[in-house]
Amino acid sequence: MTNHISAMAGDNSGTTDGTMRAIVQDGYGSVDVLQPGRAALPRIAENEVLIRVHAAGMDRGTWHMMTGRPYLLRVLGFGFRRPKNPVPGIDVAGTVAAVGSAVTRFVVGDEVYGMSRGAFADYAAALEDKLARKPSSLSFEQAAVVPISAGTALQALDAGRVERGQKVLILGASGGVGSYAVQLAKSFGAEVTGVSSTGKTDLVRSLGVDHVLDYTQDDFADGARQFDLILDIGGNPTLSRLRRALTPTGTAVIVGGEEGGRWTGGFGRSLRAPLVSLFVRQRLAMLASKERASDLERLTPLLEAGQVTPSVEMTYPLDEVRDAMRHLDAGNVRGKLAITVFSNDGGS
């Protein structure tokens, strides 16, 4: 395996000493905990794939792992005092460098995308069942920003039991998950209304929505309109406000939230929603998204047909991950950010 890795990596990889370029995180905190450095090459299990990372995606989950908040994440096993995996990054796109003995779906040289551990590095390891073949129509940067966000959007629409002709409201339509949710809901035949800030309404319109609401001027819960399905992505409206905007038998799926206490953060509303749902005709659901290749297999034909297109606002080289995280943390991202790790022209 080592000989093949060295040959693929080129002179700048530094793999001859068993290490690689990586962003290393030794504790929780601000963006300063993300340090460019070196890490040991990942060792893969029999059911895993070693990926030569061409590009990685920056997502909100990586921010949560950087800060270690809410604390519930630490209790759930991500590492109490520091991350169990010192190299952050999940979304990945690249080339297979080696495969475990039980891997049957991929061979060395395949172009893949999916969810890995430690994507902010020259190499990352991933379970075979969290990867799919990269859509040929996408660049590595485009593919790298698909897995977590688009998979979450797909699962949210599945949880909401979206149907053709339904009126769907998407809160946070300009963000990573939201930009995919808009396009997926349209591909399923829904009438879509997207909510965003003033500066991002043009992006939301470009995604193909039927209606746009500017949350600084428009109140989605003012009673003027009702929706069969609401996807609340990273917002913080009360459950009562969500219910006011639903039809009498409508469904709201809470995908996330970025406020709340240190322990549960935005998960508080998510945990309360199913309890409220027991006493009303409307259905209020929380989404606990999963990382799985089956979602990528469903997304790939939509991506290749152009029905769903990744919205990549900016790309950053690996050593500028902290700048990318600052941009994400400021709340100004339109769509997604990608990290370029290895380029096909031989640069690193």
Side-chain angles (χ1 to χ4, degrees), residues 16-87:
T16 54
D17 64 353
T19 68
M20 61 181 180
R21 293 183 312 147
I23 300 299
V24 180
Q25 180 181 345
D26 292 328
Y28 296 117
S30 69
V31 68
D32 293 326
V33 301
L34 303 178
Q35 293 291 329
R38 302 197 71 79
L41 281 167
R43 294 183 177 274
I44 58 172
E46 62 181 12
N47 61 340
E48 290 186 319
V49 172
L50 184 69
I51 303 167
R52 177 40 158 142
V53 181
H54 289 245
M58 176 68 74
D59 71 297
R60 195 70 186 178
T62 303
W63 179 89
H64 286 292
M65 290 308 303
M66 178 188 77
T67 61
R69 295 179 60 181
Y71 294 150
L72 179 62
L73 294 175
R74 307 189 196 190
V75 176
L76 292 174
F78 289 90
F80 194 75
R81 294 185 179 278
R82 61 181 58 85
K84 284 187 175 180
N85 183 8
V87 179

Side-chain angles (χ1 to χ4, degrees), residues 149 153 168-186 192-215 220 230-235 255 309-311 333-336:
S149 293
V168 176
L169 176 72
I170 298 175
L171 303 176
S174 63
V177 176
S179 61
Y180 288 114
V182 166
Q183 297 177 79
L184 287 167
K186 286 297 296 179
V192 180
T193 298
V195 180
S196 74
S197 62
T198 306
K200 299 178 183 179
T201 55
D202 59 331
L203 169 65
V204 177
R205 288 191 182 90
S206 73
L207 298 172
V209 294
D210 299 284
H211 314 283
V212 179
L213 297 180
D214 177 349
Y215 69 70
F220 72 88
I230 297 175
L231 299 189
D232 179 11
I233 304 169
V255 180
T309 302
S311 298
V333 178
R334 296 159 56 92
K336 296 287 294 182

Side-chain angles (χ1 to χ4, degrees), residues 2 34 43 49 105 110 125 130 167 198 211 242 252 275 337:
T2 301
L34 303 178
R43 294 183 177 274
V49 172
R105 295 171 52 232
D110 283 347
K130 292 188 178 183
K167 294 183 178 181
T198 306
H211 314 283
L242 290 175
L275 298 177
L337 302 177

Side-chain angles (χ1 to χ4, degrees), residues 90-112:
I90 300 173
D91 282 341
V92 68
T95 306
V96 174
V99 298
S101 60
V103 172
T104 59
R105 295 171 52 232
F106 305 107
V107 297
V108 171
D110 283 347
E111 294 183 348
V112 296

Side-chain angles (χ1 to χ4, degrees), residues 33 79 88 102 109-110 122-123 172 222 247 252 284 310 313 330-331 337 342:
V33 301
D110 283 347
D122 283 325
Y123 292 89
D222 61 4
T247 61
L284 307 177
E313 182 194 44
L337 302 177
F342 175 77

Side-chain angles (χ1 to χ4, degrees), residues 199-267:
K200 299 178 183 179
T201 55
D202 59 331
L203 169 65
V204 177
R205 288 191 182 90
S206 73
L207 298 172
V209 294
D210 299 284
H211 314 283
V212 179
L213 297 180
D214 177 349
Y215 69 70
T216 66
Q217 303 177 29
D218 306 308
D219 180 6
F220 72 88
D222 61 4
R225 53 187 78 78
Q226 288 187 313
F227 301 91
D228 302 294
L229 172 61
I230 297 175
L231 299 189
D232 179 11
I233 304 169
N236 293 285
T238 62
L239 297 181
S240 60
R241 289 192 70 224
L242 290 175
R243 291 189 57 210
R244 281 202 300 273
L246 284 174
T247 61
T249 57
T251 296
V253 179
I254 299 176
V255 180
E258 297 303 332
E259 294 183 4
R262 292 185 176 184
W263 280 96
T264 61
F267 293 113

